[in-house]
Amino acid sequence: MSISEANNISGSVSEFILLGFPCRRDIQILLFVMFSLIYLLTLLGNTSIICAVWSSRKLHTPMYTLLANFSFLEICYVSSDVPKMLANIISQTKSISYAGCLLQFYFFFSMCAAEGYFLSVMSFDRFLAICRPLHYPTIMTHHLCARLVVFCWAGGFLSILMPAVLMSQVPFCGPNIIDHFFCDLGPLLALSCAPVPKTTLTCATVSSLIIFVTFLYILGSYTLVLRAVLRVPAGSGRNKAFSTCASHFLVVSLFYGSVMVMYVSPGSRTHPGTQKFVTLFYCMATPFFNPLIYSLRNKDMKDALKKVLGASSKEILKNTEK
């Protein structure tokens, strides 16, 4: 079937069925409870970091401004697919509209691209702070920080705009069952009723460029940072630098490790079970662990979080007494 013929009947697919996790009802309920708890804790953890940065004057620095924006990104990132996944677990229909599927695809991968840009900018910030400490205040100004934040957000959405437009032109006229819990690239392309080499090549090129360019930049930045830290005499200064950079690099490893297994490993797309597990890890586990990693390894953040959580507890007690 040619693309022109397929387009004539592509309107027959008005919705997709997301299989999600086909298993016994009691196991689905267990998955729903577990994923709901992780989702709520992710929202709570990242919101706490945003509140801590906003409320503490000590944290009104470029590093923590980037971290607060990164935490807000994580909230948007995890909310782009998890609520729909939870709804489908307890639903009998497990459907998503054609438009809803394309929007989910666009927003999820835009957030994913923005995360790569934010991690790159955060590594640049640490490079300046540790390798160019005397020039750091004059280079990493609040104005530059704001421009970098805008670049990350805008870059994420603009990078996925062309793949999203091409995906909207893919003809779907046959099966509409997606063996996944969200509208991922591979399962969607597999349902196309005509070859779409231009779309496949464009999506692969864009994703590879974002993944490898940002990862290599981050790797290069932290290599220079590590060399600089090793030159610092042993003491509190070295320990603090190691602690901060270790937190950042751990987040980078969690994110890029799972993303590369998913989109770079040759055999990952042929195994739906592996595909779901790896995707679940980078779309739920990394946003969940990020607040823990940053708060547990950073004294200033821990102190600010204690104040925020302490103030929240007092407010709750006051409301209870009333």
Side-chain angles (χ1 to χ4, degrees):
M1 180 182 291
S2 67
I3 293 181
S4 60
E5 291 173 335
N7 281 330
N8 290 332
I9 57 175
S10 62
S12 59
V13 175
S14 60
E15 65 178 18
F16 294 98
I17 306 299
L18 295 169
L19 286 185
F21 306 94
C23 53
R24 297 200 319 264
R25 189 63 182 169
D26 56 337
I27 296 179
Q28 287 186 335
I29 294 173
L30 180 63
L31 290 175
F32 176 81
V33 172
M34 181 175 68
F35 292 155
S36 296
L37 183 61
I38 293 174
Y39 178 60
L40 291 174
L41 289 175
T42 301
L43 296 182
L44 178 63
N46 285 287
T47 302
S48 297
I49 285 183
I50 295 171
C51 293
V53 173
W54 180 76
S55 62
S56 175
R57 281 188 163 277
K58 191 176 182 180
L59 302 184
H60 290 180
T61 62
M63 183 180 85
Y64 291 108
T65 299
L66 292 171
L67 178 57
N69 275 273
F70 186 71
S71 294
F72 181 66
L73 171 66
E74 294 291 59
I75 292 173
C76 299
Y77 179 47
V78 77
S79 298
S80 64
D81 62 335
V82 172
K84 183 61 179 176
M85 178 189 73
L86 294 174
N88 282 346
I89 289 177
I90 59 174
S91 170
Q92 295 297 325
T93 58
K94 304 184 185 300
S95 63
I96 183 171
S97 67
Y98 174 81
C101 190
L102 291 181
L103 283 173
Q104 187 185 66
F105 169 87
Y106 175 63
F107 281 107
F108 178 82
F109 285 104
S110 293
M111 300 296 174
C112 198
E115 181 148 351
Y117 297 144
F118 264 108
L119 290 172
S120 300
V121 169
M122 291 165 80
S123 71
F124 171 68
D125 174 75
R126 290 301 85 202
F127 165 77
L128 287 179
I130 294 172
C131 299
R132 303 285 187 273
L134 298 179
H135 299 91
Y136 179 78
T138 56
I139 297 176
M140 185 55 77
T141 61
H142 288 286
H143 179 64
L144 176 60
C145 182
R147 291 174 64 182
L148 290 173
V149 167
V150 171
F151 162 77
C152 293
W153 282 105
F157 282 97
L158 292 175
S159 297
I160 309 300
L161 190 58
M162 179 57 72
V165 170
L166 291 175
M167 284 300 298
S168 69
Q169 299 172 356
V170 172
F172 298 106
C173 52
N176 66 337
I177 298 176
I178 301 175
D179 190 7
H180 213 314
F181 59 84
F182 88 110
C183 295
D184 201 358
L185 175 63
L188 273 176
L189 289 176
L191 295 181
S192 171
C193 53
V196 283
K198 180 182 177 182
T199 301
T200 304
L201 179 61
T202 301
C203 292
T205 302
V206 170
S207 61
S208 297
L209 281 174
I210 294 172
I211 291 171
F212 284 109
V213 170
T214 56
F215 179 71
L216 291 176
Y217 179 81
I218 293 167
L219 196 61
S221 296
Y222 281 116
T223 300
L224 296 175
V225 166
L226 182 61
R227 288 175 57 188
V229 169
L230 291 176
R231 295 196 192 103
V232 176
S236 59
R238 175 190 278 194
N239 293 337
K240 185 175 182 180
F242 260 125
S243 180
T244 303
C245 293
S247 300
H248 287 209
F249 199 71
L250 186 54
V251 171
V252 169
S253 301
L254 284 173
F255 178 71
Y256 281 97
S258 53
V259 167
M260 285 184 177
V261 167
M262 184 65 205
Y263 294 102
V264 180
S265 177
S268 62
R269 296 180 186 179
T270 60
H271 300 88
T274 302
Q275 191 178 49
K276 291 178 191 177
F277 176 77
V278 176
T279 306
L280 192 65
F281 184 83
Y282 76 76
C283 77
M284 284 198 76
T286 52
F288 171 74
F289 284 118
N290 287 351
L292 295 175
I293 293 170
Y294 282 118
S295 61
L296 292 177
R297 297 186 64 87
N298 189 301
K299 185 178 181 300
D300 293 336
M301 180 58 68
K302 279 193 287 188
D303 293 340
L305 283 172
K306 286 177 184 177
K307 291 179 181 177
V308 169
L309 295 175
S312 300
S313 301
K314 290 178 182 177
E315 189 66 28
I316 292 172
L317 287 173
K318 285 181 180 178
N319 293 332
T320 304
E321 290 173 359
K322 290 180 182 178

